[in-house]
């Protein structure tokens, strides 16, 4: 192509683009519910800000909060953990090569964040600090600590792989004693190794209350983890039927009721031909095993296990169990049939190096959880429910769940939800969601009287608007409604959204150096989750110190 033709072509293209910039609707063109076409306008084209507008409104962040506790000798990095020397500081893997790079924010500069100024308090209801009395009294009572004081941390995918819970467990056990990773399922939902990896052998199946209920399950007994595991097919006993008269016997009519039936009015039953019984079919015995492997890079206290309690039930045949350390049998027992719930406990003088459990039976029990703890102190459980909005509890059998809470000595329940509901909420349905969430709190209070409940609201979440990442419009409303639901139902509330900095602060965490959140602008990475965990623990322990000071 000749130079003149090239120049004319370029001028024509630029002219066409200029026309589009002039006539293209400011609000864009909606192609579908989730897709809107945008085109820059002249005012945006000539804007020279030097960087994308940062419209965030809150705190900022410095590396002090990301740095791990040096005395523990480990730090969290992207998707894994590495050991370091006690004198080293945090090393987080480089995210510059992550292929999710967005060219529209290449020069975004996060604001500096001063962690010393971040003191997001734990907000209290009208009853004041009394809403946490059940937990705080247990932490100061040697008799309660001797039974293991339990804190159940429910949440969505923000706490997967023991994020946030792991740090809380470490700090509580460091201060009040205790060990072990807490509640572990027989079969995990995803291939995570923290806080404890479970290697299944046999035909293990996982049945959940969320996201869907298997039609083979004809009950609502799922336990504290909202799921159970089995290694044999589900056996549903048929409902009992009322006995029926033989059709060969004629029934007297109403008109004949006063008459005496003659011998001829009754048909003589036909005697069936003799059929020899079929030979008994040997009952099929199913075999399965579970190997529990502590997370290699986890906190040291979570690797020490002195007591294991197995929560199981709802099986029709005896099941044998052997507790092993490698090839050495520590315990051998039999689980007798029951149609509800039972607990089996084993104590260990020292943590088994190769902890294994072997099972054999014609009908597997439903295994609700394995509590792997110390003999005393505090246990913190990580119950991550990916995609859940925290509205599952009322669907479960309250007597069953409450019994398990009592046996576990649950003193505090942390509910960290809300984020998964955000994309589907609007001004029309957000009130219904809030009412449904409040119903979960009231249900938990009924089945576990006196329990301390802490609600942690959602983090900031960003949606892309033209060339910017902005907070979901409905998110601040959800935060306020969840706070109201918590405080009105005598729960403490911790505002993770405000702790991050509030409106439009997720980009600050994503583009922080080192990064503290993933480039989906929704989830924290391990370093960011640890930072949030520290902020929350500081807020909770501050209230604890206030409670202790008031008692003196």
């Amino acid at each position: 192509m000749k130079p003149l033709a090239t120049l004319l072509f370029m001028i024509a293209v630029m002219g066409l683009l200029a026309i589009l910039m002039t006539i293209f609707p400011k609000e864009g063109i909606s192609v579908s519910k989730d897709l809107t076409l945008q085109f820059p306008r002249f005012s945006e084209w000539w804007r020279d800000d030097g960087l994308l507008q940062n419209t965030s409104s809150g705190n900022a962040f410095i590396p002090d909060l990301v740095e791990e506790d040096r005395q523990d000798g480990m730090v969290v990095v992207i998707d894994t953990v590495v050991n370091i020397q006690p004198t080293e500081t945090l090393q987080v893997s480089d995210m510059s090569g992550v292929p999710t790079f967005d060219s529209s924010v290449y020069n975004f500069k996060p604001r500096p964040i001063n962690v010393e100024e971040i003191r997001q308090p734990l907000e209290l209801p009208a009853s004041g600090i009394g809403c946490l009395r059940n937990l705080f009294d247990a932490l100061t009572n040697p008799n309660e600590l001797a039974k293991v004081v339990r804190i159940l941390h429910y949440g969505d995918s923000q706490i997967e792989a023991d994020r946030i819970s792991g740090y809380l467990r470490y700090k509580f056990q460091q201060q009040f004693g205790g060990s072990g990773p807490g509640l572990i399922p027989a079969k995990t939902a995803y291939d995570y190794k923290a806080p404890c990896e479970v290697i299944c052998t046999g035909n293990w199946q996982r049945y959940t209350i969320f996201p869907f209920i298997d039609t083979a399950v004809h009950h609502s007994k799922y336990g504290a983890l909202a799921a159970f595991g089995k290694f044999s097919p589900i056996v549903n006993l048929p409902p009992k039927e009322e006995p029926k008269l033989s059709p060969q016997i004629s029934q007297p009519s109403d008109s004949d009721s006063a008459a005496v039936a003659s011998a001829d009015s009754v048909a003589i039953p036909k005697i069936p031909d003799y059929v020899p019984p079929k030979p008994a079919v040997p009952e099929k015995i199913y075999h399965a095993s579970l190997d529990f492997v502590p997370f290699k890079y986890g906190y040291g206290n979570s690797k020490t296990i002195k007591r294991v309690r197995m929560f199981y039930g709802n099986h029709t045949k005896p099941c044998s169990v052997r507790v092993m350390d490698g090839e050495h049998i520590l315990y051998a027992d039999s689980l007798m049939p029951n149609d509800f719930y039972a607990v089996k406990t084993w104590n260990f003088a020292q943590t088994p190096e190769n902890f294994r459990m072997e099972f054999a039976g014609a009908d597997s029990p439903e295994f609700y959880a394995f509590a792997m703890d110390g003999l005393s102190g505090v246990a913190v459980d990580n119950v991550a429910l990916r995609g859940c909005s925290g509205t599952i509890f009322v669907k479960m059998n309250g007597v069953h769940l409450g019994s398990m809470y009592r046996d576990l000595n649950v003193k505090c329940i942390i509910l960290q939800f809300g984020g998964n509901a955000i994309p589907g909420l609007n001004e029309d349905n957000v009130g219904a969601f809030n009412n449904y969430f409040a119903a979960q709190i009231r249900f938990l209070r009924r089945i576990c009287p006196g329990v301390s409940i802490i609600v942690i609201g959602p983090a900031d979440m960003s949606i892309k608007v033209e060339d910017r990442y902005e907070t979901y419009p409905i998110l601040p409303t959800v935060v306020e409604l969840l706070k109201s639901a918590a405080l009105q139902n005598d729960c403490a509330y911790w505002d993770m959204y405000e702790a991050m900095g509030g409106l439009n602060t997720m980009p600050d965490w994503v583009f922080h150096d080192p990064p503290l959140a993933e480039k989906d602008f929704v989830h924290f990475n391990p370093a960011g989750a640890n930072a949030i965990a520290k902020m929350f623990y500081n807020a909770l322990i501050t209230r604890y110190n206030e409670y202790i000071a008031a008692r003196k």
Side-chain angles (χ1 to χ4, degrees), residues 252-261:
S253 63
D254 293 338
S255 60
D256 297 333
S257 59
V260 178

Side-chain angles (χ1 to χ4, degrees), residues 218 235-242 316:
H218 294 176
V235 176
N236 288 307
L237 297 178
K240 294 181 180 180
E241 296 183 358
E242 294 296 328
T316 60

